[in-house]
Amino acid sequence: MTSHLARRSVLTGALAAAAVALAPRASAASRQQILHVDPRGRGDHTTVQGAVSAVPGDGWTIVLAPGVYRETVLVPLTATNLTLRGSTSDPRDTVIVYDNAAGTAKPSGGTYGTTGSASTTVQADGFTARDLTFANDWLRADHPDITSGTQAVAIKVQGDRSAFLNCRFLGHQDTLYADSTSLGIFARQYFRDCYVEGDVDFVFGRATAVYEHCHFRTLDRTDLAAAPYGFVFAPSTAVANPRGYLVLNSRITSDAPAAHYKLARPWVPGSDTTARPMLTVRESILGPGIDPDAPYMNMQDIYPWQAQRFAEYRNAGPGARIDVPENRPQLTDAEARLQTRSAYLGDWTPWKGC
């Protein structure tokens, strides 16, 4: 497991990049819908939430100066078509991070729960993030008193047409929560050139989500004596939704020993016992950390993974080896032609102009 000190040094390393000045301000006419955030007071706001709360309506852009923003952020339903971006092209320079877990005690009583643990929550439609890191640096080793509420979300995304370009998502359990605002809404989300790390179910939720040219990295664990250490994906797709998670032209690497991670397990939450999780991983490289013989596992035996919508197509790497065919459902060529980003996202084409 990454040590608390090591994780903090990664985050605070971004602060060293803070010497990079904000880009020169544009003319007043061209920046009417742009806000600048700088923790040293050289922008319109010193916190991300301060800028988000100041947005008066649709279509604004918030530019973040390099630094570590230790705060929780909520992008509400009213902040539609908001763009949040770092002022440099390196997402490591600009980090939004907090350290609540599901089992963390709230000042008002009770605990935060999985949703409440999110460092960043995006409810609004049309959200775009570029060149940013979203993190939750809560660590199990620092909280031995919390044994069952170890979920610690870096970001929960609920809005339709949410795009993340060249972003990083850091955490351990439940890092990236790709979800929707309600069961009947099939929110579409797109992740391109992104990096996601974690251990247990670290990409999960019920959104229709496409992950293209992304890098997923499974972390080592010293608190467990045997495999499995965790699961990369845990979709909870509604049964009425014909599209769940699509991973294409991506790669999965690992800090852990070979075959110590499962590719996925289905999440059928108590709030939706009819869910039929869906995941397709295609034309991607699966490293040795993924168990090739049994890449899928049940979360609850009453909802076996074989009854869900899990499939692969033309993957490569040691973790994609097909030694036990019944454990690795494969798409036919005809089926694969229906499992594309266009089929998943419809008339929304966020990859254009990337």
Side-chain angles (χ1 to χ4, degrees):
M1 178 185 295
T2 303
S3 71
H4 189 68
L5 178 59
R7 171 57 59 78
R8 287 298 177 92
S9 67
V10 168
L11 297 176
T12 55
L15 200 54
V20 180
L22 284 170
R25 295 295 186 89
S27 66
S30 66
R31 62 180 176 86
Q32 288 178 351
Q33 294 200 153
I34 299 177
L35 293 174
H36 292 268
V37 180
D38 188 319
R40 293 156 300 280
R42 296 177 294 180
D44 302 300
H45 297 272
T46 57
T47 66
V48 181
Q49 188 61 60
V52 171
S53 297
V55 167
D58 180 83
W60 281 72
T61 294
I62 297 174
V63 182
L64 307 186
V68 175
Y69 296 84
R70 180 160 288 277
E71 57 179 298
T72 58
V73 176
L74 170 64
V75 179
L77 290 167
T78 54
T80 52
N81 298 307
L82 176 70
T83 295
L84 196 67
R85 65 178 180 87
S87 59
T88 78
S89 60
D90 189 341
R92 294 173 296 183
D93 291 342
T94 310
V95 181
I96 301 172
V97 59
Y98 210 70
D99 60 351
N100 283 329
T104 300
K106 297 170 64 175
S108 58
T111 58
Y112 282 100
T114 300
T115 290
S117 75
S119 300
T120 299
T121 301
V122 178
Q123 298 174 338
D125 291 343
F127 178 80
T128 299
R130 292 177 180 267
D131 307 326
L132 293 172
T133 292
F134 299 91
N136 189 319
D137 62 355
W138 187 91
L139 294 175
R140 300 181 187 96
D142 296 336
H143 301 276
D145 55 311
I146 298 177
T147 57
S148 62
T150 56
Q151 302 88 346
V153 178
I155 188 168
K156 180 172 184 176
V157 189
Q158 298 176 283
D160 184 38
R161 295 176 290 103
S162 298
F164 294 82
L165 310 172
N166 192 34
C167 288
R168 298 164 76 234
F169 305 91
L170 309 182
H172 284 262
Q173 183 172 354
D174 291 6
T175 304
L176 172 54
Y177 196 170
D179 206 54
S180 68
T181 53
S182 65
L183 180 60
I185 293 178
F186 305 153
R188 296 164 296 173
Q189 299 168 15
Y190 181 68
F191 301 81
R192 185 183 177 99
D193 300 320
C194 290
Y195 171 87
V196 193
E197 71 175 30
D199 49 39
V200 178
D201 304 333
F202 64 94
V203 182
F204 74 114
R206 66 179 172 225
T208 294
V210 174
Y211 306 89
E212 185 171 21
H213 297 297
C214 290
H215 178 189
F216 305 91
R217 188 162 187 84
T218 60
L219 300 173
D220 199 4
R221 298 185 65 173
T222 59
D223 59 320
L224 295 180
Y229 281 1
F231 315 85
V232 182
F233 301 100
S236 58
T237 321
V239 66
N241 189 350
R243 301 286 184 264
Y245 285 1
L246 174 64
V247 180
L248 68 158
N249 298 315
S250 294
R251 61 189 173 116
I252 300 175
T253 62
S254 185
D255 290 337
H260 272 53
Y261 273 87
K262 304 295 185 181
L263 182 60
R265 64 177 179 174
W267 177 32
V268 179
S271 59
D272 180 20
T273 57
T274 66
R276 191 160 177 247
M278 181 177 183
L279 167 71
T280 296
V281 180
R282 58 176 299 171
E283 294 150 325
S284 296
I285 299 173
L286 311 186
I290 299 300
D291 180 357
D293 295 333
Y296 305 103
M297 187 174 176
N298 299 337
M299 187 176 293
Q300 302 176 69
D301 288 342
I302 60 172
Y303 304 114
W305 72 263
Q306 294 91 340
Q308 314 310 322
R309 295 174 283 179
F310 286 176
E312 301 175 54
Y313 182 71
R314 294 188 177 180
N315 293 319
R321 194 176 65 244
I322 305 175
D323 292 339
V324 187
E326 60 269 29
N327 287 345
R328 306 216 69 146
Q330 302 291 311
L331 297 176
T332 65
D333 290 345
E335 290 169 335
R337 285 193 285 272
L338 303 176
Q339 299 284 319
T340 65
R341 62 187 184 184
S342 295
Y344 274 60
L345 302 182
D347 59 357
W348 180 49
T349 57
W351 56 86
K352 292 185 176 179
C354 287

